[in-house]
């Protein structure tokens, strides 16, 4: 690498630490930021500082929040009887975009992974159990917990562990379907996914009744 | 888009303004920065502010600098007799990486583009002529100006314009070669590049002497 003036080298270095940003992209972004309108560059710096200063975890679901409760937990219109368990805050966004779930969430902040030394105690599982018990203790147990951890080894293990812990504490426990993605190609699906797609097959409505 | 807390929405918005960063990437980067070590996120913000506060243009070549002159202009070991003209500061980095040029640079900050309303007066061409004249006036004219603007319509027009303006003011004026990229495939080269590659063909050393 050729010589660079210190502030430029420092910004390239800081940007290159971001996920998916290689040294070439970091360099391109730096040179863009050097010449962008002053207000644009400073707005980015200010926004960055603001998320660090003003964002905390929701006391109830552990999604990001600016007060004690996140936007979803403080929304009275959401369905209290259903709880969706996800690994990361980004997963909440993904499910929210579908508009197919109107219940509440619980963010674990990871998945059980013995290889990486992440046991259940490192995740927000204790708090999830407590949430279920608190609801049951006031006579309105959660009707359904949807386990929406990733369909990976870690996500499956986490779902299994949570299902065992929640058994008897909530009405029903479900797991999101695993199968061929919509628009996907059977021919290119891996074997494990295909097995899951077969196992999870559903009767075609109407056809069974004929 | 689902509801987002304001600081998060603001950072996603600021990141999505960066070139090559779409809304999905901006979201992923924001969630990374929310959970990154505090020092990492604040170092990025500080680096961003530092480039805006401390970086200026070199008085001589218009590359980025932290003082009156950039690192290359203030390096006494560089060859004063050769000057490479490029469109952008990033082009200086690209050429420096090759270690094939040891002269000085001149950064135009763009290329002539009538469509975008960019005429020669918007670029640092006046300053380039002045540099050439200043050298000539002290009896040591520049030996060679290498025109390394991009091989695009705008870059070629800019090179042509500068060549006309510099004629008689410097020893020689050259243009970087256009042709098939090393490792490229003739079959997939566009016609214009192929024509350039043929026009720019060079005698194979030794073969002519046999």
């Amino acid at each position: 690498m050729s010589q660079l003036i210190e502030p430029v080298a420092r910004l390239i270095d800081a940007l290159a630490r971001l996920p998916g940003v290689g040294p070439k992209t970091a360099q391109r972004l730096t040179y863009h930021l050097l010449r962008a309108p002053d207000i644009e560059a400073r707005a980015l710096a200010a926004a960055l500082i603001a998320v660090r200063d003003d964002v905390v975890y929701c006391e109830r679901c552990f999604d990001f929040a600016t007060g004690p409760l996140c936007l979803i937990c403080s929304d009275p219109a959401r369905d209290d009887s259903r709880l969706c368990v996800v690994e990361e805050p980004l997963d909440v966004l993904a499910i929210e975009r579908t508009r197919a779930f109107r219940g509440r969430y619980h963010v674990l902040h990871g998945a059980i992974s013995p290889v990486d030394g992440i046991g259940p105690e490192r995740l927000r599982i204790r708090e999830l159990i407590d949430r279920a018990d608190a609801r049951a203790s006031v006579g309105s147990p959660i009707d359904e917990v949807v386990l929406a951890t990733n369909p990976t080894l870690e996500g499956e293990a986490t779902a299994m562990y949570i299902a065992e812990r929640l058994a008897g504490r909530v009405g029903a426990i479900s797991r999101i379907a695993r199968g061929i993605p919509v628009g996907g190609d059977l021919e290119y699906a891996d074997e494990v996914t295909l097995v899951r797609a077969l196992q999870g097959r559903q009767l075609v409505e109407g056809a069974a009744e004929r």
Side-chain angles (χ1 to χ4, degrees), chain A:
Chain A
M1 190 69 180
S2 62
Q3 277 185 310
L4 282 171
I5 49 177
E6 194 272 339
V8 170
R10 193 145 59 93
L11 183 54
I12 291 175
D13 191 56
L15 286 168
R17 284 168 201 275
L18 296 174
V21 178
K24 266 292 185 70
T25 303
Q27 190 177 296
R28 199 165 42 78
L29 291 175
T30 297
Y31 277 72
H32 167 82
L33 287 163
L34 272 163
R35 287 181 307 173
D38 199 55
I39 194 153
E40 183 184 324
R42 290 185 196 276
L44 176 55
L48 198 47
I49 290 166
V51 294
R52 301 300 302 204
D53 286 343
D54 305 340
V55 178
V56 294
Y57 291 123
C58 171
E59 287 177 359
R60 192 170 297 158
C61 77
F62 303 97
D63 194 356
F64 292 117
T66 44
L69 293 183
C70 72
L71 292 174
I72 293 171
C73 283
S74 50
D75 180 355
R78 306 286 301 214
D79 178 2
D80 268 323
S81 70
R82 271 160 232 285
L83 190 64
C84 181
V85 178
V86 295
E87 292 181 24
E88 303 293 350
L90 266 179
D91 301 332
V92 174
L93 284 193
I95 294 175
E96 282 296 286
R97 272 195 295 270
T98 67
R99 300 176 178 277
F101 180 76
R102 299 303 297 164
R104 309 274 183 186
Y105 290 92
H106 193 88
V107 182
L108 299 171
H109 287 278
I112 296 170
S113 174
V115 179
D116 303 310
I118 300 172
E121 75 289 346
R122 291 274 297 274
L123 309 174
R124 300 294 188 173
I125 294 177
R126 177 72 256 156
E127 291 85 348
L128 172 62
I129 310 293
D130 289 347
R131 266 179 97 172
D133 287 350
R135 288 289 307 277
S137 73
V138 295
S140 62
I142 296 170
D143 287 338
E144 182 184 3
V145 170
V146 182
L147 300 173
T149 52
N150 290 327
T152 57
L153 216 63
E154 293 79 16
E156 296 292 358
T158 308
M160 207 96 81
Y161 177 87
I162 292 174
E164 271 171 36
R165 297 292 309 276
L166 283 179
R169 292 179 143 107
V170 297
I173 301 170
S174 62
R175 178 88 176 99
I176 49 162
R178 285 133 301 179
I180 314 291
V182 177
D185 196 323
L186 217 86
E187 189 182 341
Y188 297 110
D190 61 288
E191 277 173 49
V192 182
T193 299
L194 208 45
V195 167
R196 289 293 195 174
L198 285 168
Q199 286 171 341
R201 68 189 182 280
Q202 290 171 310
L203 286 176
V204 178
E205 303 257 336
E209 290 157 22
R210 267 184 297 192

